Amino acid sequence: MQQLDAFTDSEITYGDFFRQAPEMNPNELGMYELLLDRLSELGCEYSIRVQKTQISLSNQYMFACISFARVNKKAELPSHYVVVTFSLNYPKNSERIAVCTEAARNRWTHRVVIGSISEIDEELLGWFQEAYEFSNNK
């Protein structure tokens, strides 16, 4: 029996993913590429899985993803954005975090709206590094 999800995932490139964004702007792709570059600079080793609704980053387990999920009212979102999601074993408290939910016992999912390259800063990268380590040590 053919695994449709695996086949579909392998047919979607990250270029395809970003072209489906509403009113695509090169800014979204640039934010994604910068985020991956910065994670690599931190020494994070991960695999990438491109799906129709998100791009997942995994080491042993998924530790982060990039999507176009609407986490705020449309009027509150920048005209061009990506949503980065990461998981930790506790709720992180910051005004930058649009949504924080307890997805499972001792696993909190955090969603951050990124509207410009300048928002991929040391604070965000620190959260991703922490999520990477949390996932790696499960």
Side-chain angles (χ1 to χ4, degrees):
M1 183 172 162
Q2 184 181 28
Q3 293 181 332
L4 184 58
D5 290 339
F7 177 78
T8 302
D9 289 346
S10 68
E11 293 296 311
I12 299 173
T13 67
Y14 74 89
D16 295 334
F17 175 82
F18 284 98
R19 277 190 288 279
Q20 73 178 340
E23 301 176 26
M24 172 58 181
N25 180 301
N27 208 26
E28 287 96 347
L29 182 57
M31 288 185 280
Y32 166 77
E33 290 173 336
L34 178 62
L35 183 59
L36 295 188
D37 288 347
R38 296 293 306 273
L39 286 172
S40 294
E41 289 171 9
L42 293 173
C44 296
E45 294 181 10
Y46 52 87
S47 62
I48 299 171
R49 183 175 180 203
V50 181
Q51 300 165 279
K52 186 174 180 179
T53 59
Q54 70 183 28
I55 298 175
S56 304
L57 308 178
S58 303
N59 45 32
Q60 278 189 300
Y61 303 98
M62 185 171 69
F63 67 92
C65 68
I66 295 106
S67 71
F68 297 111
R70 188 179 301 169
V71 295
N72 294 359
K73 293 178 183 171
K74 189 172 183 175
E76 297 171 356
L77 292 168
S79 58
H80 299 283
Y81 69 93
V82 294
V83 174
V84 294
T85 303
F86 59 91
S87 294
L88 298 172
N89 61 340
Y90 67 96
K92 178 72 75 176
N93 186 16
S94 170
E95 289 182 13
R96 291 180 69 183
I97 296 172
V99 178
C100 177
T101 56
E102 189 172 20
R105 186 171 176 258
N106 295 323
R107 193 183 80 196
W108 293 80
T109 300
H110 304 76
R111 296 178 193 260
V112 179
V113 176
I114 305 296
S116 71
I117 287 176
S118 65
E119 294 177 62
I120 301 172
D121 57 10
E122 298 308 312
E123 180 180 47
L124 181 71
L125 293 168
W127 295 342
F128 267 66
Q129 178 77 40
E130 196 175 349
Y132 176 85
E133 292 168 6
F134 171 60
S135 174
N136 218 22
N137 293 320
K138 284 183 184 177

